[in-house]
Amino acid sequence: MVNNLISECDGDSYIGNIAKGARTVTNCHYVNIPSPSPPVSNPYLVAVSPSSAALLSLNPTELPLDTLSGDVEGVATVYGCHCGTQYFGQLGDGRAVTIADHEGFEVQLKGSTTTPFSRGFDGAAALRGCIREMLGCEGLSGLLVPVTRVLSVVGTGEFIQRPWYGERDGRSKRKYPPRHMIRERGAVLTRFAKSFLRMGHFEIHYLREEEEELEVLVKHGMEVLEIGDGDWADRVSMFVRDVSRRQAELMCSWMRVGYCQGNMNSDNTSIIGATLDLGPFSFMDAYERGFQPFTSDGSGRFSFCNQPSAGLTATRVWAECVVGVVEGEERRREIVDAAEGTFREVFKEGWEDVRRRKLGFGAYDEGVGELWREAEELMEGTAFGVDYTVFFSRLVNVGAGGGGAEEGWEVLKEAFYALDEAEGGVIEREVEWKGWVRRYLEASKGEEEGGRIDIMTRANPLVVPRNWIMYECYKKAEGGVVVDGEEVGGEGGDFRPIEELLEVLQNPYQVHKGVDERIYGRTPKEYVGKPGLAFLS
């Protein structure tokens, strides 16, 4: 296997059965993982992303299913984790194995085997979770949000046990973790990125005082991000500020499309500024500043509007570890402070840019900021909520062709969940909303209509991979689907909805013909508040 991580970093010297049992791994960056024995006997292809295959120069119809189901050697890396400023010790790749460097990308399998970092778990992945991660990653890519990419999902033909929600669990406003053990199909996900280096990779060596390993990893990170030559401390500063800039830009991208990562611990935070490890993630339906689908975050530390603050905290804690390779307390403090300053400046400018683009203005000013604040208060304060994606995608058409406030209001009403939930579909605060529409039309008079529409259509997607859409895909893929009197798909599943959705998600800023039109509207009533969709773990 050829991989820059392998050639530039240090492997484990442990002798023994490395796949048997968890253990503490010290003074190295990775351990070698043999191919599982026995291998998967009857792998079957569930889904492949054609655009990802093209990036890897692979023919999507000729993928090696034995390799992509796990019959290959690889490495698993060691990393730590902090949440806020609390450190949790060694974690590591518990079910992810890096198998190659291909076309400039690090390629990983997820769910193929156990490693020393599996922490007593089985190292496997459920078909449901693999499909969610694939659609989430490929969807974010289409939305122009930095993200790790997914090549394929391969079914293993085996079954695993996982805690999840039951089909009889009804709608709930109270979040709770899954409480049923269910039998699920197993699968292996193939994903790739320029690098899978996480902030936690650096933190563990700093906190263990493994100075040599930390310096080697910092040099590898510099190679990944192509940091130039020069004075060592200056290079470290450039490296830290580059990572900080990428994190701030990622936060802006997430908030533009209504994405909530759910878990932002440092083991889920990539130094290349890509969305990584899509677990309890969700795209927001009704706008809520405190939106958080992850049941384990009761305090809302990582909720939608707290993501920038969480990203800044993660970046600063990480920077304080990385500067351990620099001499001099004052110089280290300067580098960390500069990284925080970079994050704040980049996010401030980026967030202003997001708001003016979503509202369709050529430049940001206080008037644009006030319009946003008013809309935000109204969206969150309207009974039953206002759909974030639908609202801004319909706002594009407000004022088009010279329409006034009444016409604009009729256009925006499609975003209101009161149409489904309120008696008679009555929408509260209608007078205030019409007032906002009038102020918006007045403020946008100075914008050339064609330019305004162009700005907004590039910033406001028509469709995002909502949990209910992915749910319908993975439920059909799990089996028992009959079409035209015949059971379809490997292992009895119907995989065509995944293929169709992947095509739509490649360009979510335009309407696609021949697809289920529900994907362009509010979340259907039967899915609002549904456990496993409205909240999950």
Side-chain angles (χ1 to χ4, degrees):
M1 180 182 66
V2 178
N3 184 272
N4 288 336
L5 175 74
I6 308 305
S7 62
E8 296 174 4
C9 297
D10 302 318
D12 182 32
S13 58
Y14 178 81
I15 298 176
N17 188 345
I18 60 174
K20 184 177 182 180
R23 62 184 174 88
T24 300
V25 176
T26 60
N27 299 108
C28 68
H29 301 105
Y30 64 86
V31 298
N32 292 294
I33 304 297
S35 57
S37 179
V40 173
S41 57
N42 293 300
Y44 59 95
L45 184 64
V46 174
V48 59
S49 166
S51 61
S52 289
L55 285 174
L56 295 172
S57 300
L58 297 174
N59 185 336
T61 66
E62 299 178 359
L63 298 179
L65 294 190
D66 54 347
T67 299
L68 300 185
S69 63
D71 190 11
V72 60
E73 297 178 348
V75 302
T77 61
V78 58
Y79 53 79
C81 167
H82 78 256
C83 174
T85 56
Q86 182 180 0
Y87 187 65
F88 291 104
Q90 174 181 296
L91 294 182
D93 291 325
R95 57 175 179 171
V97 177
T98 293
I99 61 169
D101 185 276
H102 184 74
E103 298 289 334
F105 294 104
E106 181 180 343
V107 182
Q108 281 191 347
L109 300 183
K110 183 175 181 178
S112 64
T113 189
T114 57
T115 77
F117 313 112
S118 296
R119 305 193 301 281
F121 296 103
D122 58 15
L127 177 62
R128 165 180 52 83
C130 289
I131 292 173
R132 286 190 79 249
E133 182 160 350
M134 180 182 215
L135 294 174
C137 287
E138 295 306 282
L140 284 170
S141 176
L143 290 163
L144 307 180
V145 175
V147 65
T148 57
R149 298 296 301 273
V150 173
L151 171 65
S152 64
V153 174
V154 173
T156 62
E158 301 168 354
F159 286 90
I160 59 177
Q161 294 287 327
R162 287 292 184 271
W164 197 238
Y165 301 93
E167 287 299 314
R168 294 184 179 180
D169 288 340
R171 295 171 62 177
S172 174
K173 293 183 179 180
R174 180 184 63 84
K175 293 188 294 187
Y176 58 89
R179 53 195 180 192
H180 305 281
M181 289 299 296
I182 65 172
R183 187 169 179 257
E184 299 203 57
R185 294 191 183 278
V188 177
L189 180 92
T190 301
R191 62 186 185 180
F192 61 97
K194 186 176 182 180
S195 172
F196 283 97
L197 277 179
R198 309 156 188 261
M199 289 184 173
H201 278 110
F202 300 79
E203 293 163 359
I204 193 168
H205 298 303
Y206 173 77
L207 292 166
R208 285 177 171 176
E209 298 183 351
E210 296 175 349
E211 298 177 4
E212 182 179 341
E213 285 77 14
L214 177 60
E215 183 171 334
V216 168
L217 196 62
V218 170
K219 290 178 179 177
H220 174 57
M222 289 177 175
E223 289 296 316
V224 169
L225 297 187
E226 300 178 359
I227 303 300
D229 297 330
D231 174 78
W232 174 244
D234 289 343
R235 293 186 70 211
V236 172
S237 181
M238 286 188 288
F239 174 53
V240 170
R241 283 187 284 116
D242 190 36
V243 171
S244 184
R245 171 187 61 80
R246 291 167 182 264
Q247 291 302 315
E249 291 174 346
L250 182 62
M251 298 302 101
C252 292
S253 293
W254 284 358
M255 297 183 74
R256 177 178 63 83
V257 299
Y259 175 84
C260 186
Q261 172 76 347
N263 186 351
M264 291 180 64
N265 292 344
S266 63
D267 61 316
N268 302 117
T269 308
S270 160
I271 70 159
I272 66 172
T275 313
L276 171 69
D277 277 356
L278 279 69
F281 76 94
S282 183
F283 286 83
M284 185 164 54
D285 294 329
Y287 180 78
E288 180 186 354
R289 278 172 280 208
F291 172 69
Q292 169 57 295
F294 187 27
T295 60
S296 296
D297 183 21
S299 68
R301 179 195 299 271
F302 301 142
S303 62
F304 180 69
C305 278
N306 281 344
Q307 290 180 131
S309 175
L312 175 58
T313 298
T315 300
R316 183 171 183 98
V317 172
W318 171 79
E320 289 171 346
C321 296
V322 171
V323 296
V325 301
V326 174
E327 295 291 334
E329 179 62 31
E330 183 176 352
R331 184 68 175 115
R332 291 195 290 267
R333 188 168 57 252
E334 288 175 354
I335 294 173
V336 173
D337 289 344
E340 180 173 337
T342 295
F343 187 104
R344 292 184 183 277
E345 179 181 353
V346 171
F347 179 76
K348 178 180 181 296
E349 294 179 358
W351 182 226
E352 288 177 353
D353 188 62
V354 166
R355 286 177 286 174
R356 68 96 185 163
R357 289 171 60 207
K358 289 187 77 66
L359 290 170
F361 290 92
Y364 182 87
D365 58 24
E366 185 53 39
V368 173
E370 184 60 27
L371 275 172
W372 181 275
R373 285 188 290 273
E374 290 176 358
E376 188 176 49
E377 188 278 326
L378 282 168
M379 281 193 290
E380 192 162 32
T382 299
F384 305 109
V386 180
D387 194 280
Y388 187 72
T389 301
V390 176
F391 178 82
F392 284 103
S393 66
R394 302 307 187 268
L395 186 61
V396 176
N397 300 318
V398 170
E406 290 292 337
E407 293 84 356
W409 167 243
E410 290 300 318
V411 171
L412 290 180
K413 281 170 66 174
E414 294 181 38
F416 288 71
Y417 282 95
L419 297 177
D420 305 318
E421 303 284 354
E423 184 176 349
V426 176
I427 298 174
E428 290 185 353
R429 307 183 73 172
E430 181 173 332
V431 173
E432 293 173 81
W433 272 110
K434 288 179 179 178
W436 184 87
V437 174
R438 290 190 192 94
R439 290 190 292 279
Y440 174 74
L441 290 173
E442 183 65 29
S444 61
K445 278 183 179 179
E447 305 293 327
E448 191 272 321
E449 183 173 335
R452 181 186 71 87
I453 292 175
D454 183 63
I455 291 171
M456 297 181 76
T457 53
R458 292 172 182 267
N460 297 311
L462 295 170
V463 60
V464 295
R466 300 176 190 256
N467 278 336
W468 75 266
I469 301 174
M470 296 186 289
Y471 168 82
E472 292 196 348
C473 284
Y474 69 69
K475 291 303 289 185
K476 291 175 182 177
E478 285 174 340
V481 176
V482 176
V483 176
D484 297 330
E486 295 184 4
E487 202 172 61
V488 298
E491 293 291 317
D494 182 1
F495 309 138
R496 292 174 299 179
I498 303 173
E499 179 182 346
E500 293 166 359
L501 184 57
L502 284 172
E503 184 175 350
V504 170
L505 294 177
Q506 282 189 16
N507 191 345
Y509 297 95
Q510 69 178 34
V511 175
H512 296 257
K513 296 180 179 180
V515 301
D516 187 342
E517 293 186 358
R518 293 180 303 157
I519 67 175
Y520 296 114
R522 303 180 303 275
T523 290
K525 183 175 180 177
E526 63 267 29
Y527 292 134
V528 174
K530 183 178 176 64
L533 305 183
F535 53 87
L536 61 162
S537 185

